[in-house]
Amino acid sequence: MTILDGKALAAKIKEQTAKTTAELASQGKRQPCLAVVLVGEDPASQIYVRNKHNDCVTTGIKSLMHTLPADTKQEDLLSLIDSLNADDGVDGILVQLPLPKHLDEKTVTERISASKDVDAFSAYNVGKITLGRGGFKPCTPAGIMRLLEEYNIEIAGKECVVVGRSNIVGKPMALLLLAAGGTVTVCHTKTADLAYHTRRADILIAAAGRADLIKGDMVKEGAVIVDVGMNRKDGKLCGDVNFEECAAKASYITPVPGGVGPMTRAMLLENTLTAYTNK
Ligand code: GUN
């Protein structure tokens, strides 16, 4: 069994990003810039945003933080996005989700210019992925694809089972695996017999957001197991996969933490560089 070491690969990608931004600086060019908008005080979001900011700082990407109060009016948030869209010094824009209940996520994410939508949450970018026409790829699925590539894990012809159908992970993950030639099944809360599907998986992506959902007897001998879960259980961070039980059967498996999470952050930096280069 081999651990899919997202932390190590993300460090390599960050090193490469830092090298690229250092070259730009030595040529007297403008720094790439990511604007991050956080509305409210959700503690998990505050940690995510701080991590993204620190990643930018350590890799030479300018980080513009906008922290807004929880009672921010939708029109004020939209006008901030408009001004970031119009700012030539800003390459990528990210509005941290979830937003407070009174704000409409759909309207807000759609307001970000497609060319600055480094999260790839807009209908335009999702449409591009669906049609296989390039564009930004959402960071978590893109990070998983990169991790599989790094370990030379073949996707074409493989049974790929995605557990979870969120817009951020499950749906785009299924599309990327499909584009790579996988035979893809998407399972979700209404799936009648989850274990029937997961036991068939050569590549299993667990993105349901439920601690310990995938047990050892639900996976095939030799499967590649990717755990996207970030759950808290008795105060401890754990994924959707029972690591001990599943690692005993897997050929490759991601740990939590240190698997998918760091790759998501690395892909955000890459998408920001892409947005910069596209200008
Ligand atoms: N909330 C949880 N994951 C994400 C993400 O990848 N991007 C944004 N903007 N918000 C999130």
Side-chain angles (χ1 to χ4, degrees), residues 148-160:
L148 297 177
E149 195 180 301
E150 175 76 7
Y151 286 82
N152 296 311
I153 293 167
E154 178 100 28
I155 296 167
K158 295 293 162 59
E159 289 291 333
C160 304

Side-chain angles (χ1 to χ4, degrees), residues 52 94-97 119 121 168:
K52 287 168 188 175
L94 179 153
V95 177
Q96 187 66 30
L97 304 181
D119 259 332
F121 289 171
I168 295 184

Side-chain angles (χ1 to χ4, degrees), residues 12 18 37 79 106 110 112-113 126 168 178 201 231 259 265 269-270 278:
K12 228 163 72 174
V37 181
S79 74
K106 205 167 71 183
E110 287 301 329
I112 298 169
S113 290
V126 175
I168 295 184
L178 185 63
N231 312 297
R265 286 161 55 190
L269 302 173
E270 276 207 351
N278 286 347

Side-chain angles (χ1 to χ4, degrees), residues 177-235:
L177 290 166
L178 185 63
T183 302
V184 182
T185 304
V186 183
C187 299
H188 45 78
T189 40
K190 295 209 165 46
T191 298
D193 186 351
L194 179 63
Y196 164 80
H197 295 284
T198 57
R199 280 191 201 114
R200 293 174 26 249
D202 299 312
I203 300 174
L204 177 63
I205 314 284
R210 275 179 53 196
D212 229 22
L213 176 68
I214 309 295
K215 308 260 200 282
D217 64 356
M218 293 169 69
V219 300
K220 177 159 122 180
E221 201 70 50
V224 175
I225 302 176
V226 176
D227 190 352
V228 187
M230 288 267 263
N231 312 297
R232 291 257 159 217
K233 204 176 150 194
D234 307 324

